[in-house]
Amino acid sequence: MACGPNRVRLLCMLSLTFGYFIVEVVVSRITSSLSMLSDSFHMLSDVIALVVALVAVRFAEKTRATNKNTFGWIRAEVMGALVNAVFLTALCFTIVLEAIERFTEPREIDSPVLVATVGAVGLLVNLLGLCMFHGHAGGGHGHSHGGHSHGSKNKKAKTSQNAGNGSTVDETNNLVGNHNSPGEGRPTNELNCNDDTEVQMNGNTHYEEMDAQQDSSQLNMRGVFLHVLGDALGSVIVVINSLIFLFVWRPCGSDKDCVNPCVYDHDSHLPVNQTMLPMKSAGPCWVLYLDPTLCLFMVTILLYTTYPLLKESALILLQTVPKQINIHRLNERLQRLNGVLAIHDLHIWQLAGSRIIATAHIKCHDPTSYMEVAKRIKDFFHNEGIHATTIQPEFVTFSSQSRDSLCELSCQTQCAPKLCCGTADKQSSEKKVSGDSRSGAADPVCPESEAKVTVTKEAESSL
Amino acid sequence: MLPLSIKDDEYKPAKFNLLLKLSSWFRSILADKTSRNLFSFLCLNLSFAFVELTYGIWSNSLGLISDSFHMFFDCTALLAGLAASVISRWRSNDSFSYGYVRAEVLAGFVNGLFLIFTAFFIFSEGVERALEPPDVHHERLLPVSVAGLLVNLVGIFVFQHGGHGHSHGEEVSLVWTRSDNITDFLYGLWSVSVCVFVSVCVCLSLSLIIFFFFSVPDQYTPGKGSSKQILQGVLLHIMADTLGSVGVIISALLMQKYDLMIADPICSMLIALLIGVSVVPLLRESIGILMQRTPPSLDHVLPECYQRVQQLQGVYNLQEPHFWTLCTDVYIGTLKLLVAPDADTRWILSQTHHIFTQAGVRQLYVQIDMAAM
């Protein structure tokens, strides 16, 4: 099962981390060490990150469309990745705050041995987590969908030629569990990872499903991996710091004669007087500044590795054109297809992973030749790796030979800003409808008159 | 003789372009009312944070330094909102076929996440202080908190709803020093001078805001819903700070009158819970939009529309409707119609568009599939 390993790994890691968090809290209460308590809260944030990832994985398995979420919950994984990335950034920020606090007011470690052992155990836990999630680290799977879709597109072309209108049902079966009438709401089956009803339409939908799921969950797992990496680095720093502290630092102990020159004491205002007796002073000061420096170093590493994940998930959520698709070239090649007069309002965006959705308005000659043109367009998009397309046909009216790139759905001026087609047609549609009869100008629902206009035009054309 | 011409345009230094970009961003900020407000408030907050930082370094007070950094953290939320309000107005291009309008939803979501993180942080600090009461520092936080309340009031004035004051970490340390602060305040002449210094800064920023308000005219008013998400996020941030201040006052009163030392951590934990709860609606809305959910305002209208479309002559079936929100009040839909081979496609198309435009969906893509005879 494609979902199995991820969930099992996440659950394992979650239980380990949570257990370790409890241990740290208990130890901090016993030794009343504040730093251990704050470190345990870092562990808690790690637990929360894992919970977020787990929730996202659980949700994303529900690929069936529901009444409210017609695309299913596939996007949950991208969201999980974004949430993790944002939490990591916020965590880095707080670490920077604490490090700067330590710079201004250095603090000794109370019991370095205990801190070292707890840090080492934490490091072990995190290394285990790193091994578990390492396979999902950035660029683990080389599932370039271009390569994969070539294998499936041949089969798809054959099946789409056989079934006349079944091909449309094919594609969207790949995308989501289809439900035919909008009024129905099917209960989702949570444990059903590989949807059997989707296999029945097309043999290779199965593989595409798995592949797409793996691709999108990759983003989520990358977020988890980065979080665990950050924690591992933190544990490494704790261990290194406490060991150096243990061996290099000469503590003051209970000596009354000893003074700590590194820490600015508000109460005692001892003048630096060279004629006084040489007092014992605590160990080299640079040891106290090692902790914040290492922390800053770790923060830069974390931010550097988190930024690509943040950028990628944010770009998907901003509805960008996927980076592997050159929309300009696609537009040109689409226009060169037989039967396609013009294209406008082409939008391509990524739902999650390798599921790409495209919508466009295509201008064609007449309805009779439309079905072949539609097939050609669908095949073209399948070749590009876009399997969920919605093409709206627009048919040339008798009067619009010269303005090929404009929208055919005419409208009066007050509808123009509300139209799907952009402002390019605004001026020409103004000129176009100036001669037409217009119903009451106070009518806010303008498309009513639009329909009338179109109907009259068709009545004219049929004569 | 061939004329030798050197095109100086090609050899422009890069620095010139950067200045040009910055000035164009600045102009874009000043053009819109919402981003003007955000910018001026961000300036106010930043200046206050810098004042706090310098004072903290000067008097070597840890609480003030950490509090100033908390304020910088809040400034990043404001900055995110400002960036989103500028970015969402950029025009669409090859990579962003819908333009950048989704940026505001994303900014609202990220702000909500930051707020949850802050609530978590305050909660953990409260727990720490409950388990291990900190030493009482001699920090002169009272003048700073007074100035913070002033900033809060200014924020209320600017945003007409809420105010953004000092951040939350400060309240926790403030209460512990409350009893000391009274004595301190009674002492220092120089604490009064700090007060004066801080209020001068506040007045300066106030004048900046007023200058922005009245001098730069509104070039164009954006749609009402276009910055809703951003403002909601910022407003929640402001409310969180107001809650913090109120909580501080209550806990201080409790501590002084009834000598309940535990009041401070409990207050911080309550504040954290309140912040978390108040952020939930914003998060739910942004998550719904980002997950491509059917717009909630269309939930009742859509089944009606489907019925009307299916009753059109020649339409057999309506399949795979997908309706989603691009940004506030902009809805996009796709659907597939199974029609009879002899149906009037143009009429069906225009009728369908009409039906859905009445419902509020401006961008609609209707695919026509002819049933095989």
Side-chain angles (χ1 to χ4, degrees):
Chain A
M1 289 229 296
C3 62
N6 271 349
R7 274 172 68 176
V8 164
R9 282 183 222 198
L10 279 174
L11 277 170
C12 262
M13 192 63 198
L14 185 68
S15 44
L16 265 176
T17 322
F18 192 68
Y20 187 62
F21 161 70
I22 303 279
V23 162
E24 267 200 335
V25 167
V26 165
V27 166
S28 76
R29 287 306 298 132
I30 292 175
T31 61
S32 45
S33 137
L34 192 62
S35 58
M36 183 93 18
L37 193 64
S38 64
D39 195 47
S40 66
F41 275 113
H42 277 240
M43 268 303 198
L44 187 65
S45 78
D46 209 26
V47 167
I48 291 176
L50 284 170
V51 165
V52 164
L54 196 65
V55 164
V57 164
R58 279 281 294 268
F59 266 123
E61 284 163 14
K62 301 180 187 174
T63 52
R64 275 187 177 283
T66 63
N67 239 345
K68 301 280 166 61
N69 276 297
T70 51
F71 288 108
W73 289 88
I74 312 171
R75 265 243 170 129
E77 285 180 324
V78 180
M79 301 275 291
L82 181 74
V83 169
N84 268 339
V86 167
F87 262 41
L88 261 179
T89 321
L91 200 66
C92 287
F93 202 82
T94 42
I95 293 176
V96 165
L97 288 183
E98 285 176 12
I100 294 183
E101 273 179 48
R102 289 292 178 92
F103 268 128
T104 50
E105 205 176 278
R107 242 178 282 167
E108 308 179 19
I109 303 179
D110 283 329
S111 44
V113 179
L114 187 63
V115 172
T117 43
V118 172
V121 171
L123 184 64
L124 273 175
V125 168
N126 287 319
L127 281 177
L128 194 68
L130 278 181
C131 290
M132 274 203 279
F133 294 118
H134 179 67
H136 293 273
H141 294 290
H143 275 295
S144 60
H145 76 261
H148 184 89
S149 65
H150 278 304
S152 56
K153 83 153 152 82
N154 295 324
K155 295 187 197 167
K156 232 189 235 320
K158 283 187 205 149
T159 48
S160 58
Q161 275 166 23
N162 291 337
N165 58 337
S167 58
T168 54
V169 194
D170 266 353
E171 298 143 11
T172 44
N173 265 342
N174 301 340
L175 191 61
V176 289
N178 192 11
H179 68 280
N180 284 325
S181 69
E184 231 180 80
R186 272 192 223 153
T188 55
N189 194 358
E190 290 176 88
L191 296 173
N192 194 2
C193 261
N194 299 326
D195 213 345
D196 288 324
T197 57
E198 292 172 72
V199 178
Q200 77 196 7
M201 289 307 297
N202 202 345
N204 50 347
T205 17
H206 177 81
Y207 300 113
E208 284 217 346
E209 264 288 311
M210 279 180 60
D211 177 42
Q213 227 171 20
Q214 278 174 1
D215 255 353
S216 64
S217 65
Q218 200 181 355
L219 209 60
N220 198 15
M221 288 300 138
R222 253 171 73 190
V224 171
F225 176 76
L226 285 175
H227 220 104
V228 175
L229 178 73
D231 234 26
L233 282 177
S235 307
V236 163
I237 286 175
V238 163
V239 168
I240 289 177
N241 193 37
S242 51
L243 284 177
I244 289 181
F245 196 84
L246 192 63
F247 293 120
V248 178
W249 178 259
R250 282 172 283 116
C252 254
S254 49
D255 252 346
K256 290 270 172 70
D257 280 352
C258 183
V259 72
N260 194 345
C262 314
V263 180
Y264 176 67
D265 214 350
H266 292 264
D267 292 327
S268 60
H269 299 279
L270 289 172
V272 180
N273 200 339
Q274 258 121 13
T275 56
M276 288 179 74
L277 290 170
M279 294 174 148
K280 276 199 281 184
S281 60
C285 274
W286 62 265
V287 178
L288 290 181
Y289 291 105
L290 186 68
D291 190 13
T293 334
L294 286 176
C295 272
L296 286 179
F297 189 60
M298 171 184 100
V299 159
T300 44
I301 294 180
L302 270 182
L303 284 178
Y304 183 70
T305 49
T306 312
Y307 179 67
L309 178 71
L310 189 66
K311 190 169 160 198
E312 202 175 316
S313 48
L315 282 179
I316 291 181
L317 291 175
L318 285 175
Q319 310 287 96
T320 43
V321 173
K323 49 187 186 298
Q324 62 263 26
I325 292 179
N326 185 347
I327 201 169
H328 219 70
R329 236 191 35 176
L330 201 129
N331 210 342
E332 284 171 15
R333 285 169 56 192
L334 203 54
Q335 280 186 331
R336 274 187 257 137
L337 280 183
N338 211 355
V340 172
L341 290 179
I343 308 166
H344 51 258
D345 262 350
L346 176 65
H347 291 292
I348 302 179
W349 51 279
Q350 193 173 3
L351 184 62
S354 62
R355 293 171 204 217
I356 305 181
I357 299 177
T359 56
H361 288 192
I362 303 235
K363 196 180 272 198
C364 329
H365 282 290
D366 50 58
T368 45
S369 64
Y370 170 63
M371 286 319 286
E372 285 95 48
V373 178
K375 217 168 290 174
R376 249 175 267 144
I377 296 171
K378 295 273 183 196
D379 287 341
F380 172 77
F381 274 114
H382 281 313
N383 288 349
E384 295 289 324
I386 304 168
H387 306 293
T389 51
T390 306
I391 308 290
Q392 172 167 305
E394 286 168 11
F395 305 107
V396 176
T397 56
F398 63 98
S399 61
S400 63
Q401 292 293 330
S402 52
R403 284 165 291 140
D404 269 347
S405 60
L406 297 175
C407 196
E408 278 300 316
L409 290 172
S410 62
C411 178
Q412 297 182 348
T413 42
Q414 58 252 51
C415 312
K418 291 192 199 165
L419 254 191
C420 49
C421 313
T423 51
D425 336 312
K426 208 186 197 176
Q427 292 132 1
S428 41
S429 58
E430 277 174 18
K431 288 183 209 149
K432 198 166 153 191
V433 300
S434 58
D436 288 333
S437 59
R438 221 173 282 196
S439 55
D443 188 10
V445 183
C446 47
E448 213 161 20
S449 35
E450 169 214 348
K452 285 187 203 146
V453 166
T454 332
V455 165
T456 49
K457 265 210 203 101
E458 286 173 8
E460 287 169 22
S461 64
S462 61
L463 285 171
Chain B
M1 292 280 280
L2 289 171
L4 295 168
S5 62
I6 303 172
K7 287 218 173 121
D8 284 327
D9 304 317
E10 295 169 10
Y11 300 95
K12 252 186 245 178
K15 199 175 85 174
F16 181 74
N17 280 337
L18 179 67
L19 272 175
L20 199 68
K21 218 185 264 185
L22 280 176
S23 66
S24 73
W25 285 348
F26 198 65
R27 260 183 286 125
S28 167
I29 290 176
L30 291 180
D32 178 36
K33 185 160 195 263
T34 317
S35 42
R36 260 208 313 266
N37 284 353
L38 278 170
F39 182 67
S40 44
F41 207 70
L42 177 70
C43 286
L44 181 63
N45 249 357
L46 265 180
S47 57
F48 192 68
F50 269 119
V51 161
E52 232 182 43
L53 180 68
T54 44
Y55 182 48
I57 291 179
W58 176 46
S59 67
N60 207 1
S61 123
L62 187 63
L64 275 181
I65 293 176
S66 71
D67 185 55
S68 68
F69 277 115
H70 281 262
M71 272 204 88
F72 279 121
F73 190 66
D74 283 343
C75 284
T76 56
L78 279 177
L79 190 69
L82 185 65
S85 73
V86 167
I87 288 175
S88 56
R89 273 178 282 141
W90 287 348
R91 263 181 259 128
S92 62
N93 54 27
D94 267 354
S95 311
F96 290 86
S97 58
Y98 284 113
Y100 293 84
V101 283
R102 265 265 169 115
E104 54 153 18
V105 180
L106 206 59
F109 181 61
V110 168
N111 261 345
L113 283 183
F114 271 166
L115 271 171
I116 288 214
F117 189 78
T118 317
F120 172 69
F121 194 64
I122 298 172
F123 193 83
S124 67
E125 269 190 13
V127 166
E128 276 177 34
R129 282 170 197 268
L131 295 176
E132 191 179 302
D135 328 324
V136 178
H137 292 288
H138 296 276
E139 277 147 338
R140 291 145 185 94
L141 284 178
L142 189 60
V144 174
S145 64
V146 164
L149 274 174
L150 267 178
V151 172
N152 215 353
L153 288 173
V154 167
I156 288 170
F157 180 67
V158 166
F159 282 107
Q160 295 156 11
H161 297 290
H164 184 90
H166 56 278
S167 65
H168 342 273
E170 178 197 306
E171 290 97 27
V172 182
S173 49
L174 171 68
V175 181
W176 283 106
T177 65
R178 202 65 170 186
S179 45
D180 271 341
N181 265 337
I182 313 263
T183 43
D184 270 351
F185 189 65
L186 289 175
Y187 270 129
L189 186 65
W190 63 302
S191 66
V192 174
S193 64
V194 162
C195 223
V196 169
F197 172 62
V198 165
S199 24
V200 161
C201 284
V202 167
C203 286
L204 214 74
S205 334
L206 255 174
S207 49
L208 259 176
I209 290 164
I210 292 170
F211 170 70
F212 274 132
F213 257 143
F214 294 119
S215 64
V216 180
D218 259 348
Q219 284 175 18
Y220 48 87
T221 47
K224 226 181 164 188
S226 66
S227 341
K228 186 178 139 213
Q229 301 274 339
I230 302 170
L231 283 183
Q232 205 176 351
V234 166
L235 179 69
L236 277 174
H237 236 98
I238 288 165
M239 293 292 289
D241 279 336
T242 328
L243 278 175
S245 314
V246 168
V248 160
I249 293 172
I250 290 178
S251 63
L253 284 173
L254 279 176
M255 270 176 52
Q256 279 181 358
K257 292 223 161 136
Y258 303 108
D259 211 18
L260 278 172
M261 283 302 148
I262 202 77
D264 181 32
I266 288 188
C267 260
S268 354
M269 288 195 256
L270 273 178
I271 289 168
L273 278 176
L274 272 174
I275 294 175
V277 161
S278 64
V279 144
V280 164
L282 171 67
L283 275 184
R284 204 187 281 177
E285 197 183 327
S286 338
I287 288 180
I289 294 180
L290 292 174
M291 294 281 288
Q292 312 288 99
R293 188 197 183 278
T294 315
S297 52
L298 293 183
D299 267 342
H300 304 293
V301 180
L302 280 180
E304 222 176 86
C305 293
Y306 298 155
Q307 281 207 350
R308 284 174 67 186
V309 170
Q310 280 177 327
Q311 282 166 2
L312 288 177
Q313 192 177 26
V315 174
Y316 285 162
N317 199 1
L318 184 152
Q319 291 166 344
E320 289 164 41
H322 291 290
F323 286 86
W324 47 281
T325 321
L326 182 62
C327 62
T328 335
D329 292 338
V330 177
Y331 304 128
I332 298 181
T334 66
L335 48 93
K336 300 189 178 158
L337 291 179
L338 197 61
V339 299
D342 58 346
D344 188 355
T345 4
R346 271 180 238 162
W347 181 76
I348 292 177
L349 272 178
S350 65
Q351 286 295 84
T352 318
H353 271 264
H354 163 213
I355 290 172
F356 279 103
T357 318
Q358 274 184 316
V361 178
R362 285 178 233 164
Q363 295 197 26
L364 187 67
Y365 297 84
V366 179
Q367 179 165 301
I368 305 276
D369 293 324
M370 303 222 171
M373 283 298 265

